[in-house]
Amino acid sequence: MKQDLIVILDLGSTENTVLARQIRDIGVYSEIYPHDITLEELNALDNVKGIILNGGENRVVDGAAVQVRPELYTCGYPMISVDYPESECEKQYSALPDLDELKAFVFDQCGAEANWNMKNFIEDQVELIRKQVGDKKVLLALSGGVDSSVVAALLIKAIGQQLVCVHVNHGLMRKNESESVVEVFRNQLHANLVYVDATDRFLNKLENVADPEQKRKIIGSEFIRVFEEEARKLEGIDFLGQGTIYPDIIESGTKTAKCVKSHHNVGGLPEDLKFELVEPLKQLFKDEVRACGVELGLPAEMVYRQPFPGPGLGVRCLGAITRDRLAALREADAILREEFAKAGLDKKVWQYFTVIPDFKAVGVRDNGRSMGYMVVIRAVNTIDAMTATIERIDYDILEKIVDRITTEVPSVNRVCYELTKKPVATIEFE
């Protein structure tokens, strides 16, 4: 069943995702599009039922206020505006409409049906994947994280053995992560899995590279190169599966929304990419990805696994990556995860991890002055990764974690707990 669609046009609001989630939460699908969408592009969308013009503080771009195209006012779709004064709209709001007003617009004025759910989403995506792929094969980067696991399950449901999964160990994985991926997917789930150890290749490319955006793009580009090499060993590979989700696209920027960071599966792909992309999760927020995984029958431990960025520890080993600092980071991260699991925090906290900045601080070890790294712990809770709050950790638990890290990781002499919400901070440091 094709889901009905409410289109949100971004006219400078910082609340686009809040509004989109409100609409999805009442059972109707919603997507965000740029303010200058053409009538032809709008009519090409499936099952549009209404339009919301969502204005806000970023409405002025390059000295001029952005406007929708005049022909959209005669397109025939019900339309309201939020913080965007236009007499052509049926109703205007100075702030986000409350839930009752939103329901009245979506259901009464637009005539939308509450048909947005994971069962319908999966049915639609299976049909779309089969139509796109045909009898060809899809190459999928399988990290073992939530996004790639759900993509794998969805592709297997749609095309079965036409899927070839590739796990690339880029040397930036968490402790024992690659071994776990091979065990679960090859040995337990019997996936068609190719394992590639490219540790030296990635770390050599990243040597002396300190800029976070450059690191992300190097990692993203190198990933594609590895896949291209693996594809040459196979026949009929024309597609590349990607775990792109909706926050990836939103955070990579629009005309009226600044880029927060480039995502390796959005902004870091090479222009000469030889594959057509298959991105079945690109419409979903993170919690919806998990709901999709549950609907597909994936085990809970996989669906609710800790989020892990595509560039891995590469964006948690801050600045230019060194192998000794990367090794310290990997051990500190493993200790944090072990202690959180013992305390039951792994089931309570959405994401928790360690980072190590690219400097040393003075400390005392073996009764003498020593220079060591500083580990920073971050633990946050969120629903959709667009905003995040800090988890209040019991001091005794933190003290135990500090003692273990400074004892078991000799190159570390300080451990800090980071307290900044998103916004103003992002979840990751780079």
Side-chain angles (χ1 to χ4, degrees):
M1 176 186 291
K2 294 290 184 183
Q3 286 88 16
D4 290 343
L5 171 63
I6 300 297
V7 171
I8 298 171
L9 296 187
D10 177 14
L11 285 136
S13 176
T14 58
E15 304 288 336
N16 289 313
T17 57
V18 174
L19 182 56
R21 290 203 57 81
Q22 280 186 314
I23 297 169
R24 292 189 188 192
D25 286 345
I26 61 175
V28 180
Y29 183 58
S30 180
E31 282 188 352
I32 303 161
Y33 285 91
H35 70 279
D36 57 355
I37 188 172
T38 66
L39 183 58
E40 183 181 21
E41 290 168 336
L42 182 66
N43 288 334
L45 301 176
D46 287 333
N47 287 18
V48 175
K49 295 297 182 180
I51 300 170
I52 300 177
L53 308 182
N54 204 25
E57 61 191 58
N58 296 323
R59 190 179 163 204
V60 176
V61 177
D62 297 328
V66 296
Q67 305 282 344
V68 296
R69 297 175 186 271
E71 59 267 27
L72 261 61
Y73 293 116
T74 59
C75 66
Y77 297 114
M79 185 182 296
I80 60 172
S81 69
V82 178
D83 195 16
Y84 179 72
E86 286 293 321
S87 59
E88 292 88 345
C89 295
E90 297 178 11
K91 194 164 185 179
Q92 300 174 40
Y93 298 93
S94 58
L96 285 182
D98 66 26
L99 192 57
D100 288 338
E101 292 170 333
L102 193 60
K103 286 180 177 179
F105 173 70
V106 170
F107 296 119
D108 299 338
Q109 291 180 248
C110 299
E113 294 183 29
N115 56 13
W116 168 245
N117 57 62
M118 283 304 115
K119 181 178 180 181
N120 288 342
F121 171 79
I122 290 169
E123 289 178 0
D124 283 353
Q125 287 303 315
V126 166
E127 180 183 338
L128 290 170
I129 291 166
R130 289 173 178 169
K131 182 178 179 180
Q132 181 184 9
V133 173
D135 60 355
K136 304 294 184 181
K137 292 181 180 178
V138 178
L139 195 62
L140 173 68
L142 180 57
S143 68
V146 177
D147 300 340
S148 67
S149 298
V150 175
V151 168
L154 191 50
L155 287 170
I156 288 169
K157 183 177 180 67
I159 58 172
Q161 291 301 304
Q162 292 168 242
L163 174 66
V164 180
C165 298
V166 177
H167 176 68
V168 178
N169 180 1
H170 50 22
L172 304 168
M173 306 294 288
R174 290 174 289 198
K175 188 174 182 179
N176 297 327
E177 190 132 39
S178 286
E179 294 85 348
S180 174
V181 168
V182 172
E183 169 61 26
V184 170
F185 286 94
R186 177 183 288 167
N187 300 341
Q188 296 180 22
L189 301 182
H190 310 293
N192 184 6
L193 177 65
V194 177
Y195 173 73
V196 182
D197 187 351
T199 298
D200 290 337
R201 174 172 174 170
F202 276 83
L203 295 185
N204 289 341
K205 286 271 188 182
L206 291 165
E207 189 172 0
N208 298 321
V209 177
D211 180 72
E213 287 292 282
Q214 191 177 358
K215 285 199 292 187
R216 286 177 177 275
K217 290 185 177 181
I218 287 172
I219 294 167
S221 295
E222 203 61 23
F223 253 107
I224 299 301
R225 300 307 176 203
V226 173
F227 294 143
E228 286 179 333
E229 291 169 13
E230 292 304 317
R232 292 189 197 107
K233 302 173 186 176
L234 305 165
E235 294 183 358
I237 299 288
D238 291 306
F239 296 90
L240 177 66
Q242 286 272 58
T244 309
I245 65 175
Y246 210 33
D248 295 341
I249 295 171
I250 296 167
E251 287 195 336
S252 293
T254 64
K255 295 180 180 69
T256 54
K258 295 178 181 178
C259 175
V260 178
K261 60 186 174 182
S262 293
H263 288 261
H264 73 286
N265 49 4
V266 176
L269 298 174
E271 293 181 1
D272 60 343
L273 180 67
K274 294 181 173 61
F275 302 113
E276 182 179 333
L277 294 181
V278 179
E279 300 175 293
L281 304 183
K282 66 182 180 181
Q283 302 166 323
L284 301 184
F285 290 100
K286 193 71 175 190
D287 60 313
E288 293 173 326
V289 174
R290 297 186 194 280
C292 182
V294 171
E295 183 69 28
L296 286 164
L298 289 175
E301 59 269 21
M302 185 178 295
V303 172
Y304 294 100
R305 193 180 185 190
Q306 264 283 293
F308 194 54
L313 298 179
V315 292
R316 296 177 180 174
C317 191
L318 307 184
I321 298 168
T322 61
R323 294 186 185 235
D324 64 328
R325 196 153 49 91
L326 185 61
L329 176 61
R330 186 175 285 115
E331 292 300 320
D333 177 79
I335 291 169
L336 177 69
R337 288 187 288 125
E338 286 175 14
E339 292 302 324
F340 265 45
K342 289 178 184 177
L345 290 169
D346 59 327
K347 297 178 178 64
K348 181 183 179 186
V349 183
W350 185 82
Q351 188 170 15
Y352 47 94
F353 57 90
T354 59
V355 303
I356 297 186
D358 58 346
F359 62 81
K360 288 186 176 182
V362 67
V364 178
R365 194 176 288 278
D366 299 327
N367 297 316
R369 172 188 170 98
S370 69
M371 299 299 290
Y373 294 121
M374 177 174 71
V375 167
V376 181
I377 296 171
R378 185 151 171 78
V380 299
N381 287 313
T382 183
I383 294 175
D384 57 14
M386 301 305 296
T387 62
T389 58
I390 302 302
E391 177 67 23
R392 296 172 181 263
I393 305 298
D394 183 84
Y395 193 84
D396 289 340
I397 297 172
L398 283 175
E399 191 170 34
K400 185 176 182 181
I401 293 168
V402 172
D403 288 344
R404 280 198 62 190
I405 290 176
T406 54
T407 300
E408 298 175 32
V409 190
S411 60
V412 172
N413 64 10
R414 292 174 188 265
V415 180
C416 302
Y417 190 61
E418 210 275 319
L419 295 170
T420 316
K421 297 183 291 185
K422 177 181 181 179
V424 293
T426 54
I427 292 176
E428 297 288 342
F429 277 60
E430 290 189 340

